Amino acid sequence: MAFKPPASLVFFVVILPVFVIGTVIGFFNSQKVEFNYLIGMVELPLIALLIAEFVLVALLTLAASFVRVFGLKSEIRRLRKQLRDSETELRNLRALSAPPAPVAPLSALPKVP
């Protein structure tokens, strides 16, 4: 069995340093930059633009993921219904093709006094 580190260890070893490095980069890059977009221009600190871009990309990724997940869930529902129908049809076919129950010969019946 493979070793699986606890989630808190993964957080402190991987995620926390990323946030610390991002904070340090943001602190030292606080100068204002010009941001030109389709309908205008705004002057913001570089870190604000980076955070806004990160949030926007995260939201777009979540939206795309939700669309894909809902599509897959509907496909799962359709396939489960198809499986249920196929199992029912198979049961019915087996019942139709089952040999008739054996009939005991008259000599094997008990004699009535």
Side-chain angles (χ1 to χ4, degrees), residues 39-84:
I39 57 174
M41 182 210 56
V42 68
E43 200 169 293
L44 293 170
L46 178 61
I47 190 65
L49 287 174
L50 290 174
I51 290 173
E53 181 217 359
F54 176 78
V55 169
L56 182 64
V57 168
L59 290 175
L60 290 174
T61 303
L62 281 174
S65 297
F66 281 134
V67 168
R68 180 71 177 142
V69 166
F70 287 135
L72 290 173
K73 282 185 178 185
S74 66
E75 184 178 358
I76 287 172
R77 261 187 260 111
R78 182 185 59 79
L79 289 173
R80 283 186 178 155
K81 183 183 181 312
Q82 184 180 356
L83 177 63
R84 215 174 20 252

Side-chain angles (χ1 to χ4, degrees), residues 88-100:
T88 303
E89 183 178 358
L90 182 61
R91 250 184 274 118
N92 291 341
L93 287 173
R94 283 182 179 161
L96 287 176
S97 66

